[in-house]
C-alpha cells in the first residue's frame, strides 16, 4: 500500500492510501484522486505499479507534472520522500508533506511569491465585480484597477501591428506601475525571445532572462514576484544584472485558451520600486488581456492568409483551365471526351488532344506530374509548353519524349517528374502510334469486349538525364474505345484504405463500352464516388476517352 500526502491548491491537506495498482489524479470528480485545483487537467497524471515499483506518468496535462522539481516526459519511478508537483498542488510520497508556501512550486524560495495565474485572475475579477461593501480602500483599489485595464484595452484596440501592440502595452504598464525596465517575451517553438522592451532610464534596457522564471511563468502558467534577486540563488551568477541594479521583478504569463504564449516581466531596484502581490494581480490581468489580443491577431492574420491563398489558388486554377482544351475537337468518325477534377483547387494532371495540321492525325496527351497543389500545377504548365513545342513537328511520340525528358531533368528540382502518355492517332484508319513514359496502362476496349492494355515504353519524364523511349503500335477499329486516366482514379481509397484499382475500372469500361464517352465517364465517376463512401480524394482525377464510331450498317 502506498500512502500519499496531498497539499491541494485549495482546501486542507489530506492523506490518500493507494490500495489498487493504479490511480488517476486530476480535478475531475471522476478521477480516482480528485484534487481541488482549477489549474489541474481533468485527467492530469497516472500513478501505477509495475512489479515492485511505483511509477507516475503525465497524461498530456496542460501544465505538466514534476517529480522533485523536474518536469517528466515519460513514466518515472517514485520512492518514499519524493515530491510530486502538479500545478499548485503537491503530493508527498510515503511521508508527511513538507512545509510549502502558498505557491507550492519548485521555484518558490524565500523572497519569491508564485500564484497560479488563472486563480489570481478569477479572484481579481470577483473583487472588481463585488468589492467589499463599505471598504473605501477596496473601492479605491477596484477603481484604480479598472482605470488601468481600461487604458490597457484602449492600447490593445488601437494597435494595428504586433510591434505597436506590445509597445502600447508596455507604455501603459510603465505609466501605472513605474518599473525601471520592462520586456515582453514570446514563445517561438521551443525558444523564448524578447519581442519588446522599455526602460525608464537611458542607460540600458538589459533584462534578466531567467530560464527558470520563463519555465514557471510560461510553462506552468504562474505569476511571480521576486522581492530581492540579490538574495535569490537563481540570480547569483547573473553579475551583469545585479551590477545593473536589478533586484525586484514581477512576471505574468500571456494566457490564451490554448496555454501561455509568452510573458511580461517588469523589474526595478530595491530603492526605486518594490513590487507587491497587488502588482502581481494587476499584471496577471493585463498579461491575460494581452495574450488574448495576440491570439486574436494571429487568428485574423491566419484568416487573411487563408483568403490570400484561396485567391491565389483560384487564379492558378483559371490559368490552368486555360491550358486545358476548351472543347474537344470534332473529328469525323470519332467521339472524344476529356475532363479534369483537382483534389486541391489546382491540379497536377494535364491532358490535351489536338489535330496535327495536314497529316490527318490527332495527338492525344495525358500527364500526371509529381506532387499536388500549386507546385504541381506549375509543373503541368511546363510539361504543356515542352510537349506542344514538338507536336507541330514531324516527330514520333518516343522522339518527343526523348527531347522533353532531359530538359525537365535539367530545369526542375530532382524530385520533380511526370508520367505521360502520347499517342498519334490516324483519323482515317484508326492506327495508333504511342509512347508511355511510366504512365498507368491505358485501356483499349474492343467492340466485342476484349481488353488490351497499352503498357509503358520508358521511364517517367525528367527522372533521368539520359532516359530513352520507344514507340509502340495499336489500332482503334470501329466500335473500339480508348480510355486514358490518371492514378487519382485507380488509387482512390475508401475508409478501409482499400483502393479502387484498375480491375474495377476495366470492368466498368467494358460494361459501358457502347455508350457515348460522356456517359462512360459519368459511370466511372459515379462508381468511384460510391466506392470511396465520402472519403476525400487525395489526388487529382483526369479522364480522356476516344471512341471510334461503329461502321454504319447497310442501308435498306
Amino acid at each position: 500500500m502506498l500512502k500519499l500526502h496531498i497539499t491541494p491548491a485549495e482546501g486542507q491537506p489530506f492523506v490518500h492510501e493507494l490500495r489498487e495498482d493504479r490511480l488517476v489524479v486530476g480535478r475531475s470528480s471522476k478521477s480516482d484522486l480528485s484534487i481541488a485545483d482549477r489549474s489541474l487537467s481533468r485527467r492530469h497524471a497516472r500513478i501505477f505499479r509495475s512489479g515492485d515499483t511505483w511509477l507516475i506518468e503525465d497524461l498530456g496535462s496542460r501544465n505538466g507534472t514534476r517529480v522533485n522539481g523536474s518536469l517528466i516526459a515519460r513514466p518515472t519511478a517514485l520512492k518514499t520522500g519524493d515530491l510530486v508537483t502538479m500545478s499548485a498542488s503537491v503530493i508527498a510520497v510515503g511521508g508527511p508533506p513538507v512545509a510549502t508556501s502558498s505557491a507550492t512550486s519548485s521555484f518558490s524560495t524565500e523572497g519569491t511569491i508564485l500564484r497560479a495565474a488563472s486563480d489570481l485572475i478569477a479572484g481579481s475579477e470577483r473583487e472588481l465585480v463585488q468589492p467589499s461593501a463599505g471598504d473605501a480602500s477596496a473601492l479605491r483599489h477596484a477603481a484604480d484597477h479598472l482605470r488601468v485595464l481600461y487604458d490597457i484595452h484602449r492600447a490593445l484596440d488601437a494597435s494595428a501591428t504586433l510591434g505597436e501592440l506590445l509597445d502600447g502595452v508596455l507604455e501603459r504598464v510603465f505609466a501605472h506601475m513605474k518599473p525601471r525596465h520592462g520586456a515582453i517575451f514570446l514563445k517561438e517553438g521551443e525558444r523564448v525571445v524578447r519581442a519588446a522592451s522599455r526602460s525608464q532610464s537611458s542607460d540600458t534596457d538589459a533584462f534578466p532572462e531567467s530560464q527558470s522564471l520563463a519555465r514557471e511563468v510560461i510553462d506552468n502558467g504562474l505569476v511571480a514576484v521576486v522581492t530581492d534577486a540579490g538574495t535569490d540563488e537563481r540570480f547569483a551568477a547573473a553579475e551583469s544584472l545585479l551590477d545593473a541594479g536589478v533586484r525586484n521583478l514581477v512576471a505574468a504569463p500571456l494566457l490564451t485558451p490554448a496555454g501561455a504564449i509568452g510573458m511580461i516581466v517588469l523589474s526595478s531596484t530595491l530603492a526605486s520600486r518594490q513590487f507587491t502581490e497587488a502588482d502581481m494581480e494587476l499584471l496577471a490581468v493585463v498579461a491575460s488581456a494581452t495574450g488574448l489580443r495576440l491570439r486574436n491577431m494571429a487568428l485574423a492574420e491566419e484568416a487573411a492568409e487563408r483568403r490570400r491563398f484561396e485567391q491565389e489558388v483560384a487564379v492558378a486554377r483559371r490559368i490552368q483551365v486555360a491550358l486545358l482544351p476548351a472543347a474537344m475537337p470534332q473529328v469525323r468518325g470519332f467521339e472524344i471526351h476529356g475532363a479534369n477534377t483537382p483534389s486541391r483547387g489546382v491540379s497536377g494532371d494535364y491532358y490535351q488532344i489536338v489535330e496535327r495540321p495536314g497529316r490527318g492525325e490527332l495527338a492525344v496527351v495525358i500527364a500526371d506530374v509529381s506532387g499536388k497543389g500549386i507546385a504541381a500545377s506549375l509543373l503541368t504548365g511546363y510539361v504543356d509548353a515542352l510537349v506542344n513545342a514538338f507536336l507541330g513537328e514531324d516527330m514520333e511520340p518516343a522522339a518527343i519524349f526523348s527531347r522533353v525528358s532531359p530538359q525537365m531533368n535539367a530545369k526542375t528540382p530532382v524530385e520533380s517528374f511526370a508520367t505521360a502518355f502520347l499517342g498519334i492517332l490516324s483519323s482515317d484508319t484508326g492506327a495508333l502510334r504511342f509512347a508511355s513514359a511510366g504512365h498507368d496502362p491505358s485501356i483499349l476496349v474492343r467492340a466485342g469486349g476484349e481488353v488490351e492494355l497499352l503498357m509503358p515504353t520508358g521511364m517517367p519524364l525528367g527522372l533521368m538525364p539520359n532516359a530513352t523511349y520507344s514507340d509502340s503500335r495499336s489500332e482503334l477499329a470501329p466500335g473500339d474505345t480508348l480510355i486514358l486516366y490518371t492514378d487519382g482514379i485507380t488509387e482512390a481509397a475508401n475508409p478501409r484504405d482499400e483502393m479502387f484499382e484498375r480491375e474495377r475500372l476495366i470492368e466498368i469500361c467494358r460494361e459501358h463500352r457502347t455508350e457515348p464517352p460522356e456517359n462512360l465517364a459519368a459511370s466511372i465517376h459515379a462508381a468511384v464516388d460510391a466506392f470511396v463512401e465520402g472519403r476525400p480524394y487525395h489526388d487529382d482525377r483526369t479522364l480522356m476517352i476516344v471512341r471510334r464510331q461503329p461502321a454504319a450498317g447497310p442501308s435498306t
Side-chain angles (χ1 to χ4, degrees):
M1 180 180 68
L2 187 66
K3 185 174 291 188
L4 305 175
H5 294 255
I6 296 96
T7 303
E10 306 167 19
Q12 296 300 312
F14 62 96
V15 176
H16 182 89
E17 294 182 349
L18 183 52
R19 301 178 182 277
E20 304 294 333
D21 288 341
R22 60 182 297 278
L23 176 84
V24 173
V25 183
R27 64 180 171 86
S28 171
S29 60
K30 296 181 180 180
S31 297
D32 303 318
L33 174 57
S34 178
I35 297 179
D37 184 341
R38 282 171 288 181
S39 296
L40 285 184
S41 296
R42 292 181 180 276
R43 290 169 52 86
H44 197 103
R46 179 171 69 104
I47 298 173
F48 62 98
R49 186 202 295 270
S50 178
D52 295 330
T53 303
W54 286 97
L55 300 100
I56 185 167
E57 175 186 23
D58 188 81
L59 297 178
S61 68
R62 186 180 68 177
N63 295 323
T65 301
R66 298 176 183 274
V67 176
N68 300 324
S70 298
L71 191 68
I72 63 171
R74 58 182 60 86
T76 301
L78 293 174
K79 61 183 183 300
T80 299
D82 282 346
L83 286 181
V84 177
T85 306
M86 303 178 189
S87 185
S89 300
V90 175
I91 299 176
V93 180
V98 298
T100 61
S101 71
S102 61
T104 58
S105 165
S106 61
F107 189 73
S108 298
T109 62
E110 186 177 358
T112 303
I113 302 171
L114 293 174
R115 295 275 299 279
S118 56
D119 293 347
L120 199 62
I121 293 168
S124 176
E125 290 172 346
R126 286 194 297 271
E127 290 178 10
L128 288 174
V129 174
Q130 293 181 323
S132 301
D135 188 336
S137 175
L139 290 172
R140 282 195 301 273
H141 171 73
D144 290 342
H145 203 142
L146 286 171
R147 184 167 54 252
V148 176
L149 294 180
Y150 174 72
D151 201 14
I152 291 292
H153 278 287
R154 285 182 62 192
L156 295 176
D157 291 339
S159 302
T161 67
L162 175 64
E164 292 172 349
L165 184 148
L166 299 182
D167 289 340
V169 169
L170 284 179
E171 180 182 352
R172 267 64 172 194
V173 167
F174 267 65
H176 292 284
M177 300 183 69
K178 311 298 184 185
R180 182 181 182 188
H181 301 297
I184 297 178
F185 296 88
L186 297 179
K187 290 181 67 175
E188 289 187 2
E190 297 299 319
R191 299 172 57 241
V192 176
V193 299
R194 184 188 305 176
S197 61
R198 190 180 180 88
S199 178
Q200 291 279 21
S201 58
S202 59
D203 50 354
T204 178
D205 64 349
F207 207 90
E209 299 184 14
S210 166
Q211 291 301 313
S212 297
L213 182 65
R215 182 168 58 249
E216 293 290 357
V217 172
I218 298 176
D219 294 349
N220 292 340
L222 299 178
V223 188
V225 169
V226 178
T227 56
D228 188 356
T231 62
D232 193 310
E233 61 183 14
R234 284 169 300 279
F235 296 97
E239 296 180 2
S240 61
L241 300 177
L242 299 177
D243 290 344
V246 176
R247 291 295 187 274
N248 189 214
L249 61 85
V250 59
L254 306 175
L255 292 179
T256 75
I261 59 173
M263 65 178 177
I264 300 179
V265 189
L266 307 177
S267 74
S268 73
T269 64
L270 290 176
S272 65
R273 179 73 160 87
Q274 275 286 322
F275 294 114
T276 65
E277 289 195 62
D279 294 321
M280 183 172 70
E281 173 188 295
L282 176 59
L283 192 63
V285 179
V286 168
S288 177
T290 304
L292 290 174
R293 181 71 173 98
L294 289 174
R295 175 177 177 269
N296 290 340
M297 285 181 66
L299 292 175
E301 179 59 30
E302 288 177 9
E305 185 63 29
R306 191 178 305 112
R307 287 193 296 271
R308 286 193 293 269
F309 177 75
E310 289 171 352
Q311 290 170 356
E312 291 174 359
V313 169
V315 171
R317 182 58 180 168
R318 288 198 296 270
I319 294 172
Q320 187 175 48
V321 168
L323 297 177
L324 300 176
M328 294 293 99
Q330 300 297 311
V331 181
R332 186 167 178 245
F334 288 86
E335 297 174 89
I336 304 170
H337 170 80
N340 163 258
T341 306
S343 63
R344 300 189 179 184
V346 290
S347 174
D349 291 355
Y350 161 73
Y351 71 95
Q352 189 69 268
I353 182 164
V354 296
E355 295 184 82
R356 302 184 90 189
R359 295 183 176 87
E361 294 177 337
L362 293 173
V364 183
V365 186
I366 190 169
D368 184 359
V369 306
S370 57
K372 298 175 181 65
I374 291 181
S377 73
L378 292 173
L379 190 55
T380 62
Y382 188 51
V383 173
D384 170 71
L386 289 177
V387 172
N388 275 285
F390 300 112
L391 282 181
E393 299 184 19
D394 189 15
M395 297 176 63
E396 292 300 294
I400 292 176
F401 280 173
S402 295
R403 297 284 293 275
V404 169
S405 186
Q407 292 193 46
M408 281 188 62
N409 181 266
K411 298 292 181 65
T412 60
V414 64
E415 68 274 9
S416 298
F417 61 89
T419 66
F421 175 96
L422 170 56
I424 305 297
L425 177 65
S426 170
S427 56
D428 294 328
T429 66
L432 177 67
R433 312 186 304 279
F434 70 90
S436 175
H439 199 73
D440 280 29
S442 299
I443 302 169
L444 179 54
V445 181
R446 301 297 183 185
E450 302 85 358
V451 172
E452 177 184 339
L453 296 180
L454 308 185
M455 305 302 291
T457 63
M459 65 179 58
L461 301 174
L463 202 58
M464 299 291 290
N466 300 314
T468 59
Y469 301 90
S470 60
D471 288 316
S472 190
R473 295 177 182 273
S474 189
E475 180 182 353
L476 267 70
D480 291 351
T481 305
L482 176 64
I483 299 97
L484 312 177
Y485 60 94
T486 57
D487 59 13
I489 292 175
T490 53
E491 294 182 2
N494 62 20
R496 293 170 295 284
D497 287 326
E498 301 165 338
M499 291 195 295
F500 189 73
E501 301 289 3
R502 187 189 310 140
E503 288 72 19
R504 288 187 177 89
L505 178 59
I506 291 173
E507 287 306 312
I508 296 170
C509 292
R510 179 187 286 123
E511 180 181 351
H512 298 274
R513 65 185 183 274
T514 62
E515 298 178 5
E518 292 82 358
N519 294 357
L520 171 56
S523 297
I524 292 172
H525 287 303
V528 178
D529 285 342
F531 178 81
V532 301
E533 300 175 17
R535 181 175 180 176
Y537 289 97
H538 76 279
D539 204 354
D540 311 320
R541 286 153 290 145
T542 299
L543 267 177
M544 284 189 68
I545 301 174
V546 179
R547 182 167 181 264
R548 190 176 181 189
Q549 294 174 337
S555 58
T556 58

